[in-house]
Amino acid sequence: MLYQISDGTVSAGGRLVLDHVDFEVKGKEKIAQDRKLTIGMLRQNPDLDGNRTVEELLLAECPVKDRFSRERYSYEMEYDRIFTGFGFRKEEKKRKFSSFSGGEQTKICLIRLLLLKPDILLLDEPTNHLDIHTVEWLEDYLKTYEKAVVMVSHDRFFLDRTAEIVYALQEGKLKRYWGNYTEYRKQRIKELETGKKAYERQKQELERLEELVVRFKNKPRKAAFARSRKKMM
């Protein structure tokens, strides 16, 4: 188990959002690694230093400081690949972070996260501000991402192409479904249809019991029977 929440409760503004929920993230053999779990989150409001260049911000995250090492070279190659994959030109790395638009800044923050490669990558509406070609590039990248990814998105097509598990919020509870968004919808519709049939059966049974109570409640020899059926209702 990579990460797990058991019996968790979340409130926002005095309103109960999650009520005693269970949530888990699984990853291949990560539980056996003897090191601190790393979590990286994409936020909608970038908080990087606007006076630094993109290159300064992204290279500062490189774990290898020796500029001539093979690991450093690999990092910079990956950096170039992701940066251009998001539609930027290589020369734009020299621009200050503050000179980019809000949408571009969010893209740069996402690039930074992908370079960090956290054990759990948390993405809040990652396709916002992305054109169709960049979205397709990100989909392919996430499908081959070696670690766990948790996404919150209204982009159903994106979820269909990237998600393997869906957690749905239902009346303050989280329920886990296997498959992408389309598979989740199929399972959810089936659940609703089953629930509707159960509701109809329960409704018919209540009507039957009510009829019995009305019929026998004023008959002394049947009063106990009527009371028992009323209790069942």
Side-chain angles (χ1 to χ4, degrees), residues 179-192:
N180 61 15
Y181 182 82
T182 295
E183 290 301 317
Y184 149 70
R185 287 292 300 165
K186 290 178 182 177
Q187 295 174 66
R188 183 61 179 146
I189 289 172
K190 186 175 180 179
E191 286 179 351
L192 291 172

Side-chain angles (χ1 to χ4, degrees), residues 5-10 18-22 172:
I5 297 174
S6 299
D7 199 27
T9 300
V10 177
L18 299 177
D19 183 17
H20 300 287
V21 301
D22 296 323

Side-chain angles (χ1 to χ4, degrees), residues 28-77:
K28 294 182 179 179
E29 301 179 344
K30 293 187 180 67
I31 190 65
Q33 296 180 8
D34 185 17
R35 61 180 176 81
K36 184 178 179 182
L37 182 73
T38 57
I39 300 176
M41 180 176 182
L42 174 66
R43 302 181 184 276
Q44 291 299 308
N45 298 314
D47 57 355
L48 297 179
D49 184 353
N51 292 319
R52 302 181 72 184
T53 67
V54 172
E55 187 167 57
E56 289 173 336
L57 290 171
L58 297 184
L59 289 182
E61 303 299 338
C62 181
V64 181
K65 302 308 176 184
D66 181 0
R67 296 181 59 186
F68 302 100
S69 69
R70 180 177 298 178
E71 292 80 5
R72 175 80 173 204
Y73 175 77
S74 298
Y75 180 91
E76 292 185 8
M77 290 291 289

Side-chain angles (χ1 to χ4, degrees), residues 7-190:
D7 199 27
T9 300
V10 177
S11 297
R15 175 174 169 267
L16 185 64
V17 179
L18 299 177
D19 183 17
H20 300 287
V21 301
D22 296 323
F23 178 81
E24 63 186 28
V25 178
K26 297 179 180 179
K28 294 182 179 179
E29 301 179 344
K30 293 187 180 67
I31 190 65
Q33 296 180 8
D34 185 17
R35 61 180 176 81
K36 184 178 179 182
L37 182 73
T38 57
I39 300 176
M41 180 176 182
L42 174 66
R43 302 181 184 276
Q44 291 299 308
N45 298 314
D47 57 355
L48 297 179
D49 184 353
N51 292 319
R52 302 181 72 184
T53 67
V54 172
E55 187 167 57
E56 289 173 336
L57 290 171
L58 297 184
L59 289 182
E61 303 299 338
C62 181
V64 181
K65 302 308 176 184
D66 181 0
R67 296 181 59 186
F68 302 100
S69 69
R70 180 177 298 178
E71 292 80 5
R72 175 80 173 204
Y73 175 77
S74 298
Y75 180 91
E76 292 185 8
M77 290 291 289
E78 176 78 350
Y79 159 31
D80 280 342
R81 184 175 75 88
I82 298 177
F83 192 70
T84 55
F86 272 76
F88 293 106
R89 301 186 307 276
K90 285 187 177 181
E91 55 268 27
E92 290 185 287
K93 295 186 292 185
K94 304 297 183 180
R95 287 173 54 185
K96 287 187 176 181
F97 182 69
S98 59
S99 70
F100 291 90
S101 68
E104 290 171 332
Q105 289 182 4
T106 300
K107 289 167 68 173
I108 293 169
C109 289
L110 179 52
I111 292 169
R112 176 174 173 269
L113 270 183
L114 297 181
L115 286 170
L116 289 172
K117 298 187 185 304
D119 294 316
I120 303 177
L121 180 60
L122 304 179
L123 302 179
D124 181 10
E125 298 293 353
T127 60
N128 281 3
H129 312 296
L130 301 185
D131 59 43
I132 184 64
H133 298 295
T134 309
V135 170
E136 290 174 351
W137 186 94
L138 180 60
E139 289 171 350
D140 291 337
Y141 184 90
L142 292 178
K143 283 187 286 188
T144 60
Y145 188 70
E146 299 173 351
K147 302 175 183 181
V149 182
V150 179
M151 301 165 282
V152 177
S153 178
H154 288 88
D155 188 337
R156 299 177 181 182
F157 297 103
F158 176 75
L159 294 179
D160 257 349
R161 287 177 56 84
T162 55
E164 298 172 344
I165 294 169
V166 173
Y167 273 93
L169 177 60
Q170 301 167 8
E171 299 179 353
K173 304 291 185 181
L174 280 179
K175 185 167 182 180
R176 181 183 174 105
Y177 295 85
W178 289 98
N180 61 15
Y181 182 82
T182 295
E183 290 301 317
Y184 149 70
R185 287 292 300 165
K186 290 178 182 177
Q187 295 174 66
R188 183 61 179 146
I189 289 172
K190 186 175 180 179

